[in-house]
Amino acid sequence: MKNLVPIVLLSSPVLFAQDIARKLETATQNLLKSPAAVSSNLSFYVADENGALIYEFQGNKGLSTASTQKIFTAAAALETLGKDYTYITTSGYSGTVSGGTLSGNLFIRSTGDPALGSWRYEGYKPENFKQKLLEAVKKSGIRKISGDLVIDDSYFDHQTIPGGWPWDDLGNYYGAGVWGVNWRENQFDINISGTEFKSFSYPLEGVRWLNDLKTGGTTDQSLIFTAPHSDVALINGTLPAKPVTVSGAVPDPPLQLGVEIGQWLKQSGIELSGKVVTSSRLVLEGRNVPEMPEKNVIFTYRSPTLDKIIYWFLRKSINLYGETLIKTLGKEKKGDSGFKSGVAVLKDFWKSKGIDPHMINFADGSGLSPQNYVSAKAEVQALLYAKKQPWFDNYYEGFPTQDNGLKMKSGTMRDTKSFAGYHTSKEGKKYVFSIIINNYQGSGSTELQKILSLLK
């Protein structure tokens, strides 16, 4: 009898795990038999905090992830770049300043700060940047600019959108591209009543509109179609009759920033004789791109630290941030800001942490591309790795806390749902999980919610 007690105690956790596995298996089969999932693919993996398997269903199967792809990008960025990493925006001039006149060009240059002009960060909003920039220009003695205002967006390459993003997404705020100079998260808002444009969040530079909107239904079912450098935007679909706000992606953020700075200068009594130009547009026109001498830098502006950017990246699922991080990883590690280079850095990072490279077929950094193919097991392995790192608290803080008590990142695309994250049970047991389901048709998610309730 004395030997029986430790045996019983030892077997209790095993029996408990087996009971959870049986319940998860039943719930999984019920999900796959549900009308919305009759033709679905599922990858599901649950482990305890030490990595011991609790349950899996096709845990190795690679599926389109949607936004749970962000868990890989955020962790790799925190470790590779460091939580205190900042993006830098500078201003300077060419030529000379004499008697208050700049005989040359005024420049704005950035390393791709995705938070430049964002409304999310106290002390970093558009008005904060405006104030500091104008103070620097005035302090340098410049009262008149004889040349151009040059927005140098050449830090990254010219491809602003990852390959594989759907055309339906590009003109909408969540499909905003990545530039060497980003501004206001490359997003604009339109206030619309019925089908009539009432106002914009700020004047959008150089864009003509085709409006095919119709009224109908109770929710926003509109789409904006435009592309980088385009001067034409189409909006179609349906909107409810009541006033709504629709958000889109700015076709040329560097130009938008330049136009706004030109207005700031004029309002401050600083005359700009030349034009607002961007390095991208100069290249398009076959013209030489002027350079800013480093000795003439008059203003240096740092972004919020990376840990704060990661918080919003995960919390609000900002695709722009993910693709900026991909370009930054490629630029910092390989000297190449191309998306393919950055994605290769991301994949090499996780391969070096022991994840089978066949289970992490990345296409971007945000998950918006349907060409991302990742397994639930790989997501759990990434989450387990992150849990052991000194930067984990910054990472974990960004995960939304769901209504069911789970601390998890979710993802949604057309007929795709995904969930990945952490949970501590009422008994204090800690779990790490990932669920990815593709071709899950219909709006209902009753069976998926049953699985999440079991995890809880």
Side-chain angles (χ1 to χ4, degrees), residues 117 119 126 183-191 199-205 248-253 256-257 260 263:
W119 59 94
W183 179 240
R184 299 180 186 263
E185 294 189 1
N186 302 347
Q187 174 181 328
F188 66 90
D189 301 325
I190 320 174
N191 297 313
S199 64
F200 285 77
S201 52
Y202 51 85
L204 198 60
E205 183 64 26
V250 178
D252 195 336
Q256 184 67 40
L257 173 59
E260 291 191 38
Q263 294 168 350

Side-chain angles (χ1 to χ4, degrees), residues 169-439:
D169 293 334
L170 301 193
N172 302 284
Y173 73 95
Y174 56 86
V178 179
W179 304 69
V181 175
N182 302 297
W183 179 240
R184 299 180 186 263
E185 294 189 1
N186 302 347
Q187 174 181 328
F188 66 90
D189 301 325
I190 320 174
N191 297 313
I192 303 175
S193 182
T195 63
E196 183 182 354
F197 290 7
K198 291 297 184 181
S199 64
F200 285 77
S201 52
Y202 51 85
L204 198 60
E205 183 64 26
V207 176
R208 297 170 294 158
W209 283 90
L210 292 169
N211 185 345
D212 287 346
L213 283 170
K214 297 179 180 179
T215 55
T218 58
T219 60
D220 177 1
Q221 296 297 319
S222 66
L223 285 174
I224 297 173
F225 296 85
T226 188
H229 301 291
S230 176
D231 62 353
V232 175
L234 161 69
I235 185 169
N236 64 16
T238 60
L239 290 175
K242 63 181 181 181
V244 297
T245 299
V246 176
S247 298
V250 178
D252 195 336
L255 178 63
Q256 184 67 40
L257 173 59
V259 169
E260 291 191 38
I261 292 176
Q263 294 168 350
W264 299 346
L265 293 171
K266 182 177 180 180
Q267 292 165 3
S268 298
I270 300 172
E271 181 183 344
L272 174 64
S273 300
K275 299 179 180 179
V276 174
V277 298
T278 71
S279 57
S280 293
R281 287 184 174 247
L282 290 173
V283 171
L284 283 170
E285 295 167 5
R287 296 165 58 189
N288 292 327
V289 179
E291 295 185 5
M292 177 184 74
E294 293 297 330
K295 65 178 182 177
N296 292 343
V297 171
I298 61 173
F299 174 57
T300 300
Y301 182 87
R302 291 187 176 274
S303 73
T305 52
L306 185 64
D307 56 345
K308 294 179 175 64
I309 291 173
I310 293 294
Y311 172 86
W312 287 112
F313 173 47
L314 293 173
R315 184 59 60 97
K316 291 298 183 181
S317 210
I318 306 169
N319 295 329
L320 167 70
Y321 287 13
E323 305 316 327
T324 304
L325 291 170
I326 285 295
K327 281 188 169 290
T328 303
L329 288 171
K331 184 85 171 182
E332 293 282 355
K333 300 298 290 184
K334 293 191 172 185
D336 179 357
S337 64
F339 286 110
K340 288 184 178 179
S341 176
V343 167
V345 171
L346 184 65
K347 187 167 184 175
D348 287 344
F349 176 88
W350 288 110
K351 180 181 176 181
S352 74
K353 308 308 176 188
I355 296 181
D356 186 333
H358 296 95
M359 295 196 296
I360 45 172
N361 190 6
F362 301 140
D364 66 15
S366 66
L368 189 57
S369 172
Q371 296 176 12
N372 288 293
Y373 295 106
V374 174
S375 73
K377 182 177 179 180
E379 291 200 333
V380 169
Q381 287 177 314
L383 293 170
L384 286 167
Y385 174 80
K387 201 170 187 300
K388 300 174 184 177
Q389 307 312 311
W391 41 260
F392 176 69
D393 288 347
N394 301 115
Y395 182 69
Y396 183 76
E397 186 181 5
F399 280 68
T401 301
Q402 306 295 332
D403 293 339
N404 50 30
L406 300 173
K407 189 78 168 174
M408 70 179 186
K409 185 77 190 75
S410 62
T412 301
M413 290 195 306
R414 179 179 176 180
D415 302 333
T416 291
K417 293 183 183 294
S418 59
F419 307 92
Y422 305 91
H423 180 59
T424 302
S425 71
K426 289 184 292 185
E427 295 80 14
K429 298 181 183 297
K430 296 183 178 181
Y431 301 98
V432 183
F433 64 92
S434 169
I435 307 170
I436 308 169
I437 187 167
N438 288 181
N439 200 28

Side-chain angles (χ1 to χ4, degrees), residues 26 44 78 93-94 111 122 137 189 226-227 262 285 304 341 347 369:
T26 299
F44 186 14
L78 279 169
Y93 62 88
S94 60
T111 59
E122 286 300 323
V137 173
D189 301 325
T226 188
E285 295 167 5
S341 176
K347 187 167 184 175
S369 172

Side-chain angles (χ1 to χ4, degrees), residues 143 217 346 449:
R143 296 293 180 269
L346 184 65
Q449 291 303 320

Side-chain angles (χ1 to χ4, degrees), residues 141-182:
I142 297 173
R143 296 293 180 269
K144 180 178 180 180
I145 303 166
S146 66
D148 294 329
L149 172 59
V150 181
I151 310 300
D152 183 354
D153 61 321
S154 62
Y155 185 75
F156 291 151
D157 66 347
H158 289 122
Q159 184 181 349
T160 67
I161 300 290
W165 276 20
W167 171 238
D168 283 9
D169 293 334
L170 301 193
N172 302 284
Y173 73 95
Y174 56 86
V178 179
W179 304 69
V181 175
N182 302 297

